[in-house]
Amino acid sequence: KILDKVTWTLVSVLIGSFLWLLKTLLLKLLASNFHMNKFFDRIQESVFHHYILKTLSGPPFMEIDGFQRSPTHLTVSKNKKGKEAKAKNVIDMGKVHQLKREKVSSWHMKVLVDAITNSGLSTISNTLDESVYKESGEQADKEITNEEEAQYVAHQIFSNVICHESNQNCHYIDEGDLLRFMIKEEVELVFPLFEGSSTGKIDRKSFTNWVIKVYQDRKTLAHALSDTKTAVKQLNKLVTVVLIIVTIVIWLLLMEIATTKVLLLLSSQLVVAAFMFGNTCKTIFEAIIFVFVMHPFDVGDRCVVDGVQLLVEEMNILTTVFLKLDNEKVYYPNSVLATKPISNYYRSPDMGDTIEFSIDFMTPAKAIGRLKEEIKKHLEANTLWHPGHLVVVKEIENVNKLKMALFCTHTMNFQDFREKNRRRTELVLELKRIFEELGIRYNLLPQHVNFNQVHQARPGATYAIN
């Protein structure tokens, strides 16, 4: 009997081990497919931006070998708090460009995710600061940790790119400057990333804004991937508890400890537990579906829920933490969010804006025509707006004013709400300048006013003057 008990115990352990292995495999596949479906494009873009920063912060290739080539490899270090970089991963950028979401393997996905989560946004510091070296004499990578450092690094890289003997103008980067660091195919991918690239020139401000945006996107993406891993770990704990219970039940059945009477007792207890915890289990299941299947937002996305603008700060299995515009934290159960319509600014295409204004009804049609021409000229000359726009008269109000509206489209969505407001403010001020230049105003209708005059000798008498 002892031998039988040992045998059935080993069989139970073997079954439990198989279920554990199956659980681990399925969770790994779930995490890999989730990263691939939700984050592949952002990860691919972030790795390429990191490669651009590192390439432009280093020496030009023509000065190294005498001819132009591209070291299409990105080296990233795995960093841990309180420790030196332990290992380095080399990413072939040529293969990264060729990767497609439908064909990327789990191994390649893991390498890219590790490159984002286990390393920061770094540059080659021996070019930017020649005093920074490791003890072994190798060049040390300088990691960007805040926006001030990103701005400083941007100025250093800009100077590194433009300062050479053949450059006659040190105020902007052109295609020839980038060709000293990259091959032509890469330059064609890099140039459109900057504001004002349509003119063929990248000024210092545009380059600095791009570097800061790259840092912010990298930080947000790393946070989102970290929260996703946390959610997977929480799911792993839930499944582990279920597996342990299943393994114990299998062991009881194989050892014939769980007789029919015991099973009836357990089933009755399960009915009670289902009555007590059924709603909790339903909430957990709905939350898991919301996080891993619906997944309407990621960490860092700006959303609108119930008409309120919110920034996603943290995602868990059961709850999501948002920040309002005044940094007030709001906790939403995911099961509740699953029933609400959610607007996501980050995932939206370039978004439109509307500016309403009123002008005097007596404004000449010629002045209105000139107003439309000036607005068109400004929007077409400004790269912050799409040239397609519409100026319409909405209605005539009180036969004394024309209510008009300008419909235009930003070259961005409203994820960066501060930048959106800045652009809108500049456009409103430009409209004000155009109104003043064309003499377009709005005047109130003449008002009928009655004055009452009190006679000093007869204070009770009044005289109306119209």
Side-chain angles (χ1 to χ4, degrees), residues 358-363 395-403 441-447:
S358 298
I359 63 176
D360 196 286
F361 180 77
M362 302 305 294
T363 303
E395 60 180 330
I396 300 175
E397 187 173 334
N398 298 329
V399 200
N400 73 313
K401 65 179 177 181
L402 299 175
K403 291 189 68 174
R441 299 177 180 275
Y442 167 68
N443 298 311
L444 292 172
L445 286 173
Q447 303 293 316

Side-chain angles (χ1 to χ4, degrees), residues 201-218:
K201 300 175 182 178
I202 304 170
D203 59 19
R204 188 181 294 270
K205 181 180 178 181
S206 298
F207 187 83
T208 302
N209 290 339
W210 177 79
V211 175
I212 293 174
K213 183 177 181 299
V214 167
Y215 164 73
Q216 292 173 340
D217 290 346
R218 178 62 168 265

